[in-house]
């Protein structure tokens, strides 16, 4: 930025602040206007660093000789119409800046360690997806209403705001604890998956040393230097390979810590986080969540929760070691049913029969199970209902949990290492005992939690105005568990395929699987719930494809609004051109196809709900089939059961291919597969799962707010001028960041002149997606918009349907976007087009009635500057002539600068 210059005349009063969306438009494209284009070398960073920052065009870059500083009436920076808008405000120049934040969720920025962590994050995109979806579930739950009170600081004697609950309802009924408990279950699910591969498939099944006459058999797919482990005892190998799930959890925790991005500006950057000293604090009875002052700050609760997950994972490994070591010592093969467990196995657990090491394993298992249970209790007990509220009262249980985890792992490990051969020479099981049923047990617990989340209720909301009728937490959690199970199936299936050498059946021996001789039954046995879900996954995919195809056919047939004549007529009207259009029939076909694609894409909410239902049924079916495997396999439906089980290999292969393909896509610079889903789950602070992907909002929101505050304060290289104005130009998800920044400023800098801030959005999902999925964050009561319903799968899906008001808003906040920006026309203008697959109308409506109704100008669907006819969709709004008109309308709605 350079040093401040004491010359107020150098502060241009108008700042057009552009922010990109999901596509991560680079700064040189974001700074273009109309036909004027820029190259990457034409822009320079004025604020920020390599992660995120504000860019300006260099002087003389592109078509304009003045860069992005625009004199009144000129068009070099934002077009002729925008220049006229500047002239209406005191003939003052304008600066155009582009805020680029796209690398926040994919780069760590800590030197060489950051580059290594960045590669790890890209490689582990989809290992983190279930955790990120859990975070989205946390913020989609019914958030408690809060209020702001004035509290006098005993030291400074100044009034400071404090957030408290706006009602007297008991805490813990909003689902925060249940979602955090579900997140803990996901971590244990990950640990069990890693344990199945390392401790079961490799340490036990690939070294059948305890099987008579097979003492030297080793899976030939393993490196030769591991052959010596065949001479170890089963317990010693299990303890050695138990390091893999422990290291895996440690790696997840390290990636989560290194990948976090924070905003800690220097004092002279204008951080926008302090209330002016001595100013009065307004008491607000109904406060939007976005106005919580420290909402975007990294808090201790998530670090505390992270340690809970780490210790619970360690305790789970100790429990796995102890359980297997105990039952292999007393002939665990005979414990195949509840009857034999009580009549035969339980009798062998007498201290005199299991020995000292057996007693140590029993105690280790009890301590480990207790540590996991305490971690679950602490997760629920310490779940804050609101980010600004302290955690629940009561002493911490962390010491007991960590101590129990360490003791259980050490005790179980030592007992397994020194236990020797099973008592009485009884051969051990050919599988790791307990790991076959552990995934099913965790799946059952998480499915029950999902059912309880579906019962969460919001008061004062019409269900039609809520995403998935208010069951967002259950939907996101179902997608999370489904993604985690698919990942587990892919990991376990890929490991089994490699170890069985299914892809290369000729190696050191005739059948290829075993080194030093063949062995009957050369098939590894992963947990049945994984293979069953993999088989059912094909059915889920086929059922979803059939349902989507039928609904699409019905929807397309009902799109009577989407005709070539109407499309061409609207294009000519938007372009201010006279008919006929060259190649009018071909242009009409292109427009109709693009509009149809956009309309079908607008049914994303309905498609996701269908997908969630199918995934839930698939998980439940796999759980039932795997739990009662003996009955299904011998009953009248044995043939169907075997068919599903045999299809598991195909399902695992399909899941693995999908993961590999998406991982390759995510490894490209500045790319994000499934970008909308990723941005939905990474926007809000990471509060549910500590190992989830980083929240770009933790930096982007306060940084964008700080830039606005610095401009209005006049600290951009000069003393305060009290004449600054800001016109925000936000595309797609950038609109969500911009609106959040405005509320953040309203809570932290209430002294700013908000009447000198205007908002232009385009291609946005504010009202139709974010407002429905997260109603307490960005719903109608926050945006001051009319409620809207979702587009059904078989509906016509015209823009008129997407603008239709659904129900009456019953929930109101004392502060909404209309209060922040100020009432009046064109304070918020939204551009949209029918070919935009991610953009919707907003239909801005303030509480005052018609005088507060904003506009949704229509942006033409043809790029006016390409040589051939090109239909534009979600991007390229800056080239549309309606953009210049819209930004001029926003600028003209702002008051003239003070003199």
């Amino acid at each position: 930025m350079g040093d401040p210059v004491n010359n107020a005349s150098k502060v241009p009063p108008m700042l057009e602040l552009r922010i990109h969306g999901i596509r991560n438009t680079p700064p040189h494209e974001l700074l273009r206007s109309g036909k004027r284009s820029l190259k990457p070398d034409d822009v320079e960073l004025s604020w920020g660093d390599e992660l995120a920052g504000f860019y300006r065009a260099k002087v003389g870059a592109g078509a304009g000789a003045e860069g992005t500083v625009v004199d009144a009436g000129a068009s070099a920076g934002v077009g002729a119409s925008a220049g006229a808008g500047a002239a209406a405000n005191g003939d003052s120049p304008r600066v155009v800046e582009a805020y680029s934040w796209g690398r926040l969720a994919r780069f760590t920025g800590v030197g060489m360690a950051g580059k290594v962590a960045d590669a790890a994050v890209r490689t582990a995109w989809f290992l983190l997806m279930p955790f990120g979806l859990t975070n989205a579930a946390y913020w989609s739950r019914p958030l408690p209403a809060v209020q702001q009170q004035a509290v006098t600081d005993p030291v400074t004697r100044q009034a400071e705001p404090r957030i408290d609950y706006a009602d007297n309802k008991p805490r813990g009924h909003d689902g925060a604890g249940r979602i955090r408990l579900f997140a803990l279950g996901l971590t244990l699910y990950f640990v069990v998956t890693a344990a199945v591969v390392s401790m079961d498939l490799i340490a036990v099944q690939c070294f059948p040393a305890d099987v008579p006459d097979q003492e030297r058999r080793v899976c030939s797919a393993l490196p030769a230097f591991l052959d010596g482990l065949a001479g170890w005892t089963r317990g010693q190998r299990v303890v050695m390979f138990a390091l893999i799930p422990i290291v895996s959890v440690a790696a997840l925790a390290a990636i989560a810590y290194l990948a976090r991005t924070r905003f800690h500006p220097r004092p002279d950057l204008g951080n926008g986080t302090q209330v002016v000293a001595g100013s009065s604090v307004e008491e607000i009875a109904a406060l939007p969540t976005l106005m919580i002052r420290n909402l975007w700050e990294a808090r201790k609760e998530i670090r505390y929760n992270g340690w809970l997950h780490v210790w619970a994972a360690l305790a789970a490994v100790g429990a796995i070691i102890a359980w297997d070591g105990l039952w292999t010592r007393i002939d665990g093969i005979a414990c195949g049913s509840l009857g034999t467990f009580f009549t035969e196995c339980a009798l062998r657990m007498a201290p005199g029969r299991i020995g000292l090491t057996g007693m140590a394993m029993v105690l280790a298992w009890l301590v480990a199970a207790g540590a996991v249970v305490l971690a679950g209790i602490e997760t629920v007990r310490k779940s804050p209902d609101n980010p600004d509220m302290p955690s629940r009262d009561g002493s911490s249980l962390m010491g007991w949990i960590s101590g129990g985890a360490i003791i259980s792992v050490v005790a179980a490990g030592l007992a397994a290492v020194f236990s020797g051969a099973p008592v009485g020479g009884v051969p051990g099981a050919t599988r790791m005992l307990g790991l076959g049923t552990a995934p099913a047990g965790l799946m059952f617990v998480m499915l029950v939690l999902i059912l309880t989340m579906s019962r969460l209720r919001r008061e004062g909301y019409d269900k039609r105005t809520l995403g998935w009728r208010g069951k967002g937490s259950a939907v996101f959690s179902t997608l999370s568990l489904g993604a985690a199970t698919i990942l587990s199936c892919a990991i376990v299936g890929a490991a089994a395929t490699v170890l069985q050498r299914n892809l290369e059946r000729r190696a050191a021996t005739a059948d290829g699987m075993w080194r030093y001789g063949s062995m009957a039954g050369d098939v590894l046995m992963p947990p049945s719930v994984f293979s069953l879900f993999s088989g059912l996954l094909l059915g889920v995919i086929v059922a979803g494809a059939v349902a989507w195809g039928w609904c699409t056919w019905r929807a397309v047939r009902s799109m009577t609004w989407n005709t070539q004549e109407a499309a061409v007529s609207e294009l000519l009207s938007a372009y201010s051109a006279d008919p006929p259009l060259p190649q009018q029939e071909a242009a009409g076909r292109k427009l109709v196809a693009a509009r149809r694609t956009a309309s079908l894409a607008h049914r994303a909410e309905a498609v996701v709900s269908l997908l969630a239902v199918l995934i839930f049924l698939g998980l439940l079916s796999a759980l039932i089939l795997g739990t009662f495997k003996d009955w299904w396999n011998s009953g009248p439906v044995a043939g169907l059961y075997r068919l599903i089980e045999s299809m598991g290999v195909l399902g695992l292969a399909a899941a693995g291919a999908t993961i590999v393909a998406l991982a390759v896509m995510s490894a490209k610079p500045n790319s994000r597969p499934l970008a909308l889903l990723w941005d939905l789950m990474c926007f809000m602070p990471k509060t549910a799962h500590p190992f989830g992907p980083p929240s770009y909002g933790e930096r982007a929101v306060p940084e964008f707010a700080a830039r606005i505050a610095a401009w209005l304060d006049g600290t951009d290289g000069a003393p305060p001028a009290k004449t600054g104005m800001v016109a925000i130009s936000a595309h797609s998800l950038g609109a969500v960041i911009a609106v959040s920044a405005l509320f953040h400023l309203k809570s932290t800098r209430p002294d700013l002149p908000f009447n000198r801030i205007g908002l232009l959005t385009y291609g946005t999902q504010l009202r139709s997606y974010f407002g429905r999925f997260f109603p307490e964050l960005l719903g109608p009561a926050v945006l001051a918009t009319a409620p809207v319903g979702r587009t059904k799968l078989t509906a016509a899906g015209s823009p008129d349907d997407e603008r239709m008001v659904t129900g009456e808003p019953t929930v109101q906040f004392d502060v909404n976007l209309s209060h922040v920006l100020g009432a009046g026309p064109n304070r918020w203008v939204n551009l949209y087009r029918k070919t935009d697959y991610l953009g919707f109308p907003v239909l801005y409506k303030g509480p005052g009635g018609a005088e507060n109704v904003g506009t949704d100008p229509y942006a033409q669907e043809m790029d006016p500057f390409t040589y051939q006819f090109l239909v534009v969709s979600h991007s390229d709004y800056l080239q549309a002539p309606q953009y210049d008109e819209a930004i001029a309308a926003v600028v003209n709605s702002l008051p003239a600068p003070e003199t």
Side-chain angles (χ1 to χ4, degrees), residues 505-521:
R505 299 300 296 172
R506 290 291 180 265
T509 61
D511 68 354
M513 179 172 173
W514 301 102
R515 202 155 30 232
Y516 309 122
S518 62
M519 175 181 173

Side-chain angles (χ1 to χ4, degrees), residues 436-487:
T437 57
L442 289 171
M443 184 183 294
F444 173 76
V445 171
M446 288 187 282
L447 286 176
V448 170
L449 289 172
I450 290 174
L451 289 176
T452 63
M453 294 177 206
S454 67
R455 306 298 298 174
L456 296 173
R457 294 290 182 266
R458 282 182 169 88
E459 295 184 3
Y461 285 90
D462 187 335
K463 289 184 179 180
R464 295 175 299 170
T465 68
L466 300 175
W468 304 297
R469 299 184 67 83
K471 302 183 187 300
S473 296
V475 170
F476 280 121
S477 298
T478 301
L479 296 177
S480 173
L481 180 56
T485 304
I486 292 174
L487 284 167

Side-chain angles (χ1 to χ4, degrees), residues 873-891:
S873 56
H874 185 57
S875 302
D876 305 309
Y877 277 90
L878 296 174
Q879 290 96 306
Q882 290 80 13
Y883 176 85
D884 290 335
E885 299 171 3
I887 193 67
V890 172
V891 171

Side-chain angles (χ1 to χ4, degrees), residues 8 103 170 339 458 470 481 491 551 804 831 898:
R103 303 194 71 192
R458 282 182 169 88
L481 180 56
I491 293 171
C551 293
M804 188 176 298
L831 290 172
E898 298 177 9

Side-chain angles (χ1 to χ4, degrees), residues 475 478-479 540 607-619:
V475 170
T478 301
L479 296 177
V540 169
V607 172
V608 170
S609 65
L610 172 65
L611 180 62
V613 170
L614 293 175
I615 289 177
F616 186 90
L617 293 177
L619 292 169

Side-chain angles (χ1 to χ4, degrees), residues 518-555:
S518 62
M519 175 181 173
D522 60 340
V523 177
L524 301 180
M525 296 177 289
S528 60
V529 70
F530 288 155
S531 58
L532 289 169
F533 180 76
S534 299
L536 291 168
L537 184 61
L538 292 180
V540 169
I541 295 173
V542 171
V546 171
W548 169 243
W550 181 81
C551 293
T552 299
W553 177 75
R554 288 282 306 273

Side-chain angles (χ1 to χ4, degrees), residues 257-283:
Y257 176 79
L258 291 174
R260 297 200 73 175
T261 55
R262 304 172 180 86
F263 181 54
H264 298 301
R266 301 195 317 267
D268 62 326
L269 291 185
N271 57 25
T273 59
Q274 298 295 327
V275 177
V276 176
S279 63
S280 61
V281 177
E282 181 183 2
E283 295 200 9

Side-chain angles (χ1 to χ4, degrees), residues 15 122 244 253 282 312 335 338 375 419 437 474 625 699 796:
L15 173 65
R122 286 202 300 265
I244 292 180
E282 181 183 2
C335 304
L338 291 177
S419 61
T437 57
L625 291 173
R699 170 168 173 175

